[in-house]
Amino acid sequence: MRRTAARAGAGPVVEAPAPAPGPVAGQEQTAAPASAPAPAPAPVSVPQQLRTEFPFELPRGYVDGSGIVHRDGVMRLATARDELIPLRDVRVQENPAYLSVVLLGRVITRLGTLAMVHDGVVENMFASDLAFLQDFYRQVNAEGHTRAAVECPHCSEPFEVELGGSRLGES
């Protein structure tokens, strides 16, 4: 559509349709080139959900002040913050072995019917349950990538070696 200029006293502005494109005199009209077929849409990838919580069952169980045994729990993936904050804890600075207790108190989100899990709960667990949780922490946070396949330089026999650190928070 185009506008025509209003002339003084000629009345309101009138919109006139734009001329339709047509063949130019002396030229043959050719068919429009066939358009290429539209490319197939890229396959939509469904985002894979990241699993962040892992259920566990303690070998013996935590016994609370009322004598109730709590065995079923949930551990979440650790963040860098979870591994850094315990390093500022005075108990960890005085005794590095306490690192796993504080760290586990941060990443265990549920244990039985306890309202809250903290390092005080972890430090009162049986040693076998603490060892279980330390191992479970390594498995959950390393996704099973703590072993590497290697070959003996002498006999060429293949075997696996553990790459993880000896304590929680180490690699």
Side-chain angles (χ1 to χ4, degrees), residues 88-110:
R88 291 187 270 171
D89 191 304
V90 175
R91 298 168 296 182
V92 173
Q93 291 172 353
E94 290 175 358
N95 182 2
Y98 206 78
L99 173 63
S100 64
V101 172
V102 177
L103 187 53
L104 289 170
R106 292 182 61 86
V107 298
I108 297 172
T109 58
R110 186 181 62 77

Side-chain angles (χ1 to χ4, degrees), residues 12-103:
V13 174
V14 178
E15 293 188 8
V24 177
Q27 290 184 350
E28 287 185 29
Q29 187 172 1
T30 59
S35 61
V44 178
S45 64
V46 177
Q48 202 173 29
Q49 293 285 17
L50 176 64
R51 186 172 173 202
T52 60
E53 292 191 325
F54 301 86
F56 63 83
E57 184 176 323
L58 295 174
R60 296 192 187 276
Y62 169 74
V63 182
D64 68 14
S66 304
I68 299 171
V69 179
H70 304 272
R71 294 184 70 195
D72 296 323
V74 175
M75 181 183 293
R76 67 172 172 78
L77 285 176
T79 63
R81 182 181 192 96
D82 290 323
E83 292 200 352
L84 292 171
I85 286 180
L87 298 175
R88 291 187 270 171
D89 191 304
V90 175
R91 298 168 296 182
V92 173
Q93 291 172 353
E94 290 175 358
N95 182 2
Y98 206 78
L99 173 63
S100 64
V101 172
V102 177
L103 187 53

Side-chain angles (χ1 to χ4, degrees), residues 110-130:
R110 186 181 62 77
L111 183 60
T113 58
L114 294 176
M116 191 168 99
V117 181
H118 49 81
D119 52 15
V121 170
V122 177
E123 73 181 352
N124 286 307
M125 289 182 174
F126 294 111
S128 58
D129 289 334
L130 179 61

